[in-house]
Amino acid sequence: MLDEVCLPLIQAVIDSQKDLVVIFHQQNHIATNKAFNKFFGVHTFEEYNSNFGPVVDNFVPHPSYFHKEKLQEGENWFDAISSLEEMDRIVSILTQTYEPCAFSVKIDSSVQEYKIVTFVDITRDLIKRIMIENNVNIDKKSGAYDKKYFLQIAKNFEDAAVFNEKMIGMNLITVDEDANPDFSHDSEALGEFVKKFKISIRQDDMLVRWAPSKFLLVYLIDSEYNAVQVATKLKNLLTSMSGLKSTLSSSLQQKGESVNALIKRVQA
């Protein structure tokens, strides 16, 4: 075990980290940092140990993420999660208010019999991880997401909605090309339109070029009321674009509805 001199020094180091850190000796956790304790609403390692027990017991049994029930008989969770691809080493842990958070797990086993486990909060990045902007998934003429790319990751978007206990909101914006002749598929007006939209939406919202003069805005929302607010904001934005004639249709995901079914409704 770590001696009385080393432990305070190591404690000071892990307390300086913003991520959640736990130190294990063999299978037992022996230290937690301030960020970890704060997440669980305790002040000390001893208090966490008394109230919550083994760390692995606090992983939510979500089918898309690693948890205790996925262990084989006699298998320890360090080896089990380490055997997964790095992008799959994700666990869900509930906050004090019972909201699920997603954490990427990193395990340092460089010191014999000891493991330093770091939990990096990726809750807000969960969607961004499936829609990384690059030349493949961005429509070069407009700057919005490519339709083909969106259809490829639609199932991931559905999973993100389930994990975050939210619904998918969708708005279809159709620009009238006859009334806006400068709004062609390769005009400057097209790029400016997308730029104005991106300024007004959240970073995690997804603006997709659905057709030459149609755009699909896809996002996660927690209530019908907030979805109506988004639609109102978009209407005001479109109205503020001088000379632009367009139509807006909106739909909110129903329980168990797929993204493809939602797209059909918003286009109906």
Side-chain angles (χ1 to χ4, degrees):
M1 292 285 288
L2 297 172
D3 59 35
E4 294 182 359
V5 176
C6 291
L7 190 55
L9 179 60
I10 293 174
Q11 186 70 56
V13 172
I14 64 175
D15 279 345
S16 68
Q17 305 301 307
K18 63 180 179 63
D19 298 317
L20 280 56
V21 181
V22 186
I23 297 178
F24 291 82
H25 177 248
Q26 297 177 349
Q27 303 298 316
N28 302 313
H29 54 281
I30 61 172
T32 53
N33 72 339
K34 287 183 178 179
F36 185 94
N37 294 338
K38 182 179 180 180
F39 180 88
F40 282 94
V42 298
H43 297 91
T44 64
F45 160 75
E46 290 77 14
E47 188 179 352
Y48 167 80
N49 197 34
S50 175
N51 294 346
F52 295 94
V55 173
V56 68
D57 287 354
N58 295 296
F59 299 162
V60 177
H62 189 286
S64 298
Y65 305 97
F66 179 85
H67 56 84
K68 186 177 180 179
E69 294 175 15
K70 292 189 175 184
L71 295 175
Q72 301 296 321
E73 185 176 353
E75 186 179 29
N76 68 67
W77 76 269
F78 306 107
D79 293 339
I81 198 168
S82 296
S83 68
L84 301 176
E85 295 291 335
E86 186 175 352
M87 64 179 297
D88 295 326
R89 296 171 194 167
I90 300 175
V91 299
S92 173
I93 307 177
L94 298 180
T95 67
Q96 299 171 55
T97 54
Y98 302 102
E99 296 177 3
C101 286
F103 292 91
S104 174
V105 180
K106 300 179 181 179
I107 300 178
D108 184 340
S109 304
S110 55
V111 179
Q112 189 175 5
E113 294 190 351
Y114 289 91
K115 290 180 175 60
I116 301 175
V117 180
T118 303
F119 296 91
V120 181
D121 191 341
I122 60 169
T123 308
R124 298 183 65 181
D125 295 333
L126 202 57
I127 296 178
K128 284 187 283 186
R129 287 181 57 184
I130 62 172
M131 49 189 242
I132 300 171
E133 295 188 9
N134 55 47
N135 291 332
V136 175
N137 57 43
I138 296 296
D139 175 64
K140 295 180 180 179
K141 293 178 180 178
S142 67
Y145 282 102
D146 178 74
K147 176 181 179 179
K148 182 178 179 181
Y149 170 71
F150 172 71
L151 292 175
Q152 288 175 342
I153 60 92
K155 183 61 172 66
N156 302 67
F157 213 97
E158 291 175 21
D159 291 343
V162 172
F163 180 82
N164 288 284
E165 298 182 346
K166 294 180 183 289
M167 298 173 284
I168 299 174
M170 194 172 287
N171 301 95
L172 181 67
I173 303 98
T174 303
V175 176
D176 186 339
E177 288 189 351
D178 291 334
N180 302 272
D182 62 336
F183 200 91
S184 61
H185 66 278
D186 56 357
S187 70
E188 290 186 9
L190 177 63
E192 288 301 315
F193 173 82
V194 171
K195 284 181 182 179
K196 290 180 180 179
F197 240 90
K198 284 189 172 183
I199 292 173
S200 302
I201 62 178
R202 300 172 302 182
Q203 190 175 11
D204 291 343
D205 297 343
M206 200 166 185
L207 183 64
V208 183
R209 191 181 185 196
W210 199 248
S213 59
K214 293 184 178 183
F215 291 86
L216 198 66
L217 180 65
V218 189
Y219 50 91
L220 296 187
I221 203 77
D222 53 13
S223 70
E224 184 175 356
Y225 173 77
N226 287 340
V228 172
Q229 286 188 313
V230 171
T232 301
K233 181 180 178 181
L234 292 181
K235 288 179 182 178
N236 292 336
L237 174 62
L238 293 169
T239 301
S240 70
M241 296 183 183
S242 179
L244 183 72
K245 186 175 182 181
S246 61
T247 57
L248 175 71
S249 57
S250 306
S251 287
L252 184 62
Q253 183 186 31
Q254 297 175 357
K255 187 174 182 180
E257 186 178 30
S258 68
V259 167
N260 287 335
L262 182 58
I263 291 172
K264 288 181 180 179
R265 283 204 298 114
V266 80
Q267 292 185 106

